[in-house]
Amino acid sequence: MLILTRKLGESLIIGKDIRVVVLEVRGKQVRIGIDAPEDVVVLREEVHQRLTQENLQASTFRYSDLEEVSKSWSS
Amino acid sequence: MVAPLENKTSRASYLTISTRDLGPRQVDEEAVISFPTGLPGFEDYRRFVLLQYPFPTPLVCLQCIDRPEVAFVVTDPVNLVADFKLTPGNSDLPEWRGEDPKDIKVLVILTIPPGCPRDLTANLMAPLVINLRTRRGRQVVVDKGGYSSKHPVLVK
């Protein structure tokens, strides 16, 4: 892993169009600002993991269960 | 209910696609929805289409065109939470910005555990935002509102 030290207000450039700036340091928390193109997905790592897991699980449904779901839903 | 998105315009240019559960289908090219960044876990699959199931249901099929085995069951979140709201930050998305709200469709993905369909949950934390005019979509994260990625759908 590349490790760099930055001061408050200083930035990093990733590639040609992603900018990461340190906005605030407060105890153990760091606020980070990110400028990235619209086609770049920026998510907290744990959120990304949860979404990935949830989407993978969601894709394993059985078609044969759907009618039961539909009936239970309306009742 | 989600209105069918097929046959949106009169331009007759059809694609024949294979689907996970609904056999081969013909869909209007204009009905294709692209997710330029894919969905987390499925980043390589960009083109989807919404299909109706052949029985009465609030469920809609989000079928991947690039890979027939990939499909999701989705529904309009108002079927689950009457006042479902995205966060203001979400309306700043490229899919959303400057658009007439009626051109924006919000859907949520359902997780239906195989064999235990009554335990289904809805991912309210990460809805799909689809721009019906540009036919582009994105899975967004709703930061506020305390929405769960495993919202139980059926009350036991």
Side-chain angles (χ1 to χ4, degrees), chain B residues 15-88:
Chain B
L15 294 172
T16 303
I17 62 164
S18 306
T19 70
R20 181 185 188 271
D21 302 305
L22 303 169
R25 283 290 189 101
Q26 280 216 323
V27 297
D28 190 327
E29 246 178 30
E30 303 262 324
V32 175
I33 300 161
S34 81
F35 287 78
T37 55
L39 305 181
F42 296 88
E43 285 83 354
D44 293 338
Y45 310 132
R46 308 288 169 84
R47 295 187 305 154
F48 289 81
V49 69
L50 290 167
L51 301 173
Q52 301 296 311
Y53 288 115
F55 43 84
T57 180
L59 311 178
V60 178
C61 170
L62 180 67
Q63 171 65 51
C64 179
I65 295 180
D66 302 315
R67 195 167 170 105
E69 311 91 275
V70 175
F72 297 95
V73 181
V74 300
T75 195
D76 189 319
V78 299
N79 293 325
L80 299 155
V81 179
D83 61 346
F84 184 81
K85 287 268 185 327
L86 296 175
T87 34

Side-chain angles (χ1 to χ4, degrees), chain B residues 84-151:
Chain B
F84 184 81
K85 287 268 185 327
L86 296 175
T87 34
N90 295 135
S91 57
D92 194 36
L93 290 168
E95 283 73 22
W96 189 291
R97 203 179 297 145
E99 293 288 344
D100 189 327
K102 73 176 192 304
D103 286 333
I104 303 293
K105 175 163 280 305
V106 178
L107 294 167
V108 291
I109 299 179
L110 300 174
T111 298
I112 304 169
C116 310
R118 297 186 58 85
D119 294 337
L120 83 156
T121 56
N123 188 351
L124 296 184
M125 188 187 84
L128 305 171
V129 173
I130 297 166
N131 183 317
L132 297 177
R133 203 179 51 76
T134 62
R135 313 297 304 178
R136 285 161 71 94
R138 178 185 298 252
Q139 188 169 22
V140 305
V141 174
V142 181
D143 280 326
K144 306 225 167 66
Y147 294 125
S148 165
S149 61
K150 286 204 174 288
H151 175 85

Side-chain angles (χ1 to χ4, degrees), chain A:
Chain A
M1 182 188 284
L2 171 67
I3 299 173
L4 302 167
T5 302
R6 300 275 59 197
K7 288 183 183 137
L8 199 63
E10 290 182 340
S11 308
L12 300 175
I13 301 295
I14 302 174
K16 61 181 166 61
D17 43 20
I18 300 174
R19 180 167 162 269
V20 179
V21 55
V22 180
L23 294 176
E24 187 184 343
V25 182
R26 194 171 42 191
K28 288 190 169 180
Q29 289 201 315
V30 182
R31 275 164 63 84
I32 295 168
I34 298 134
D35 277 322
E38 288 166 353
D39 60 352
V40 173
V41 177
V42 179
L43 289 172
R44 294 176 176 90
E45 184 177 18
E46 65 277 17
V47 171
H48 183 263
Q49 278 172 358
R50 197 186 318 168
L51 291 197
T52 298
Q53 250 176 31
E54 198 56 47
N55 285 345
L56 288 170
Q57 275 179 28
S59 71
T60 65
F61 72 92
R62 278 192 211 154
Y63 181 64
S64 57
D65 287 336
L66 299 188
E67 273 192 88
E68 188 183 334
V69 167
S70 306
K71 283 176 196 150
S72 314
W73 195 305
S74 52
S75 61

